[in-house]
Amino acid sequence: MSKIVIFSGAGVSAESGISTFRDSDGLWEKHNIADICTSGCLQTNREETLSFYDARRNDIEDKEPNLAHKTIVKIKEQYPDKISIITQNVDDMFEKAGCSDILHLHGFLREIRCEKCSYVEDIAYAKQNRDKICPTCNSKLRPNIVFFGEPAPKYEELYKHLEDCEVFVCIGTSGAVINVDMLSQWAEYRILNNLEPSNLINEEYFNEVYYENATTAIPKIEESLQKFLD
Ligand code: APR
Ligand code: ZN
């Protein structure tokens, strides 16, 4: 199992041109979470919910991974068994950077899934076909995204990766959904990179703190990780 966990959020993709959620001008300033991303909204507000995710899918089609995604994937290629890449992001920037071994805690935009069974389909950047039903059980299909108030089955894997984690690297998350302070406690050495301090993260838990763009922090983070990898 891996020794270094690289845990990311929307900030790692900000410089690729993908909106974060809670920064000024972020997605949750323009859209109401309760309407399009909360348990039950597929029943009460189906069309608007599906359209929101169609737009997100369309938005990432031409986006490219930045230096942070590329460097993280490069380190993973060099030390595949020592690095776990775990993200709250639903975009495919790490995949576009060349890695398919990514744990997406909150789902994956390119996929739709059955509301009832385990059927999952990659529709890339297309609109979800409203007429299509599950080929296995005839139920409705939906974006493969974890909405607020829904179970997040991948969290179990997150904790498995943390069990033998020695170094915890956190990049681009406010800590509003997942308690970053708590995750960091599993590791002996901790690195934090955000654009600015978050009142939900206690920087005193971290050995190295970089408040700057992920693309300028990543060379320094890479250098620090080297001493744990040699
Ligand atoms: N480089 C580094 N960090 C950045 C950058 C950047 N260029 N731009 C923004 N950030 C940081 C901000 O300082 C902030 O701490 O990224 C963080 C973005 O926070 P949020 O918008 O809250 O995103 P995130 O923490 O990923 O949200 C968690 O909330 O809505 C849900 O499911 C959604 O996975 C998402 C979860
Ligand atoms: Zn089904």
Side-chain angles (χ1 to χ4, degrees):
M1 199 50 99
S2 318
K3 305 283 183 236
I4 297 176
V5 167
I6 303 181
F7 176 80
S8 61
V12 79
S13 296
E15 290 166 89
S16 294
I18 301 173
S19 290
T20 64
F21 297 96
R22 296 172 186 81
D23 293 313
S24 62
D25 213 32
L27 277 173
W28 296 149
E29 212 165 74
K30 297 182 197 135
H31 302 273
N32 189 350
I33 291 180
D35 294 340
I36 39 99
C37 188
T38 300
S39 167
C41 60
L42 280 166
Q43 285 74 50
T44 56
N45 193 24
R46 188 172 182 85
E47 184 47 40
E48 202 188 337
T49 303
L50 298 185
S51 300
F52 175 75
Y53 287 101
D54 284 343
R56 302 277 72 73
R57 225 175 278 118
N58 181 58
D59 180 55
I60 63 166
E61 178 164 15
D62 65 349
K63 301 294 186 290
E64 295 295 335
N66 64 48
L67 185 69
H69 302 106
K70 288 178 191 165
T71 304
I72 293 166
V73 166
K74 183 187 77 186
I75 304 171
K76 169 88 176 158
E77 277 167 0
Q78 288 166 343
Y79 305 95
D81 301 330
K82 291 198 113 192
I83 310 283
S84 299
I85 306 179
I86 302 179
T87 188
Q88 298 166 89
N89 296 348
V90 296
D91 68 52
D92 62 349
M93 294 301 111
F94 287 116
E95 284 79 2
K96 279 187 177 171
C99 186
S100 56
D101 185 11
I102 310 294
L103 180 57
H104 285 274
L105 296 172
H106 295 159
F108 194 45
L109 258 182
R110 283 181 5 199
E111 291 172 348
I112 54 171
R113 68 170 169 86
C114 176
E115 288 189 358
K116 294 257 161 60
C117 76
S118 58
Y119 176 79
V120 176
E121 183 184 337
D122 188 335
I123 60 168
Y125 310 104
K127 279 190 176 166
Q128 180 177 341
N129 179 349
R130 308 295 194 262
D131 299 326
K132 185 168 177 182
I133 50 171
C134 175
T136 331
C137 78
N138 295 334
S139 300
K140 287 181 185 166
L141 297 169
R142 57 163 284 175
N144 191 11
I145 302 284
V146 177
F147 293 169
F148 287 90
E150 291 184 338
K154 302 283 184 187
Y155 281 21
E156 204 172 307
E157 280 178 59
L158 163 69
Y159 289 105
K160 285 207 187 99
H161 286 285
L162 288 169
E163 265 165 26
D164 64 351
C165 164
E166 288 160 5
V167 184
F168 179 75
V169 183
C170 176
I171 304 178
T173 176
S174 64
V177 170
I178 295 187
N179 185 327
V180 169
D181 289 351
M182 197 261 288
L183 295 192
S184 74
Q185 300 305 305
W186 294 76
E188 287 137 43
Y189 197 86
R190 305 152 192 167
I191 301 174
L192 173 67
N193 164 224
N194 266 328
L195 209 48
E196 53 200 24
S198 162
N199 55 13
L200 298 164
I201 298 177
N202 184 350
E203 64 181 44
E204 286 177 13
Y205 289 142
F206 292 82
N207 304 76
E208 293 177 37
V209 177
Y210 302 100
Y211 291 130
E212 58 184 286
N213 278 318
T215 56
T216 59
I218 199 70
K220 295 174 239 178
I221 295 172
E222 183 183 16
E223 203 185 322
S224 287
L225 292 182
Q226 212 55 55
K227 59 179 177 282
F228 298 97
L229 292 165
D230 288 337

